[in-house]
Structure formats: C-alpha cells, structure tokens
Amino acid sequence: DAFEDKFHHLALRHERAWVFISVAMIAVLFIVTVYFVVHDYGLVAKTVQFYSNPDTPATLADFQGSGIKQTGPNSYNIYEMGRAWSWTPGTATPITLPAGSHVKFYVTSGDVLHGFEVQGTSINITAIPGVVGHVSYTFDKPGTYYIICNEYCGAGHQAMIGKIVITG
Ligand code: CUA
C-alpha cells in the first residue's frame, strides 16, 4: 500500500546515504594516509642500469674517490658501493649536505646482495653486483640520516653503516 511504498523509498534513501558516507570515509582515510606517507617519507622513483660484466660497476670512475659529486647549485650525485661489510662512503666519511639538497643515489655492490636503506626516508634499493640502481631524494629536513644494510649479507651485516648529515 501507499504507506509501505513511502517507507521503502525512505529506507532506500537512507541506505544510499550511508553507502555514500562509508565510501567517502574510506576515500578520505586513503587520501590522508597517502598525503602523510608522501609528506614524511617522500616519493622516490627507482631505475636500474645493467652491465653484462658483473665486475664493471666497481671499476667505474664514479665509484672511486669520495663518492660525492656536485651536479648543480643544490644537486648532488652520491655513488654508494656496498661490500661485505661496509658502505663506501660510510661512517668513516660522513656525507654532509645543506638542507634542500636534491640527491641522486647510484648504488651497486662489489660482491653479494646488500640492501641500501636511508633510515627515516623512503630510500630503499637493493645493491646488486653488475647493476647500478638509481634513486632520487630531496633532503628537506636537517638532521643525521643513517645508511644501513637491510639485506642479510653475512657476519658483519649489521656493521654496514653510513651517515648523511643535513645541515640547516
Ligand atoms: Cu650488507 Cu647486509
């Protein structure tokens, strides 16, 4: 009858409203999560370059010397070589850069797989013999950032530490 029809319409309207509200809440949560992940950790794009001879990257000129090259007023390349069990440059030669530096990391390994990670950032790339991995990051916040190895590589795995100091 008429009353039942009216009731059904009303119920349908409320159902639609609640479906819309729950979808909207999920969307808002998703957007907020993505915003804070990007805001706190930064987004990084990873690319890799392969060499037919796995020994080649270790012989490249960029991986000799300090491992740091200024490429612009506020841009730097950092060349990181992982070996059991150290990063070069590592803690013995901390990398000091001004806040706002755009850094492109070039990461490789001279022996086995290592995991190049800069704590407190989204920089996380596997160091592979015969492969140079690239990852870019802008250091906006001053502070000390530690490089670690996050891929188990043997007895001295936990000793693979490096240091990036961002000055204010
Ligand atoms: Cu290198 Cu773990």
Side-chain angles (χ1 to χ4, degrees):
D1 59 9
F3 173 77
E4 220 166 71
D5 276 355
K6 217 174 158 190
F7 177 79
H8 275 139
H9 274 151
L10 197 65
L12 202 62
R13 244 174 56 205
H14 277 249
E15 243 173 78
R16 282 200 187 123
W18 280 108
V19 166
F20 176 79
I21 287 166
S22 30
V23 169
M25 280 171 76
I26 290 165
V28 167
L29 273 177
F30 179 76
I31 290 163
V32 167
T33 305
V34 168
Y35 173 80
F36 281 107
V37 167
V38 171
H39 184 263
D40 289 353
Y41 295 102
L43 267 191
V44 293
K46 298 173 191 176
T47 57
V48 290
Q49 189 173 346
F50 293 91
Y51 292 87
S52 52
N53 180 345
D55 297 329
T56 301
T59 67
L60 299 175
D62 290 331
F63 287 98
Q64 322 305 323
S66 75
I68 305 163
K69 190 196 273 178
Q70 185 157 9
T71 55
N74 215 11
S75 306
Y76 301 85
N77 287 351
I78 293 178
Y79 302 92
E80 279 287 351
M81 167 66 70
R83 282 184 205 276
W85 290 285
S86 62
W87 290 113
T88 307
T91 32
T93 51
I95 298 159
T96 304
L97 300 173
S101 292
H102 307 291
V103 178
K104 192 164 186 191
F105 291 91
Y106 292 78
V107 179
T108 193
S109 167
D111 43 40
V112 297
L113 291 187
H114 300 281
F116 182 81
E117 178 178 340
V118 181
Q119 290 188 319
T121 75
S122 51
I123 302 162
N124 184 355
I125 194 164
T126 307
I128 307 167
V131 175
V132 177
H134 309 162
V135 61
S136 296
Y137 189 82
T138 300
F139 288 91
D140 285 323
K141 289 180 212 153
T144 299
Y145 297 80
Y146 286 96
I147 298 165
I148 62 160
C149 178
N150 65 15
E151 178 93 41
Y152 183 73
C153 56
H157 161 70
Q158 73 286 346
M160 293 187 67
I161 309 285
K163 202 168 159 183
I164 300 169
V165 179
I166 302 298
T167 57

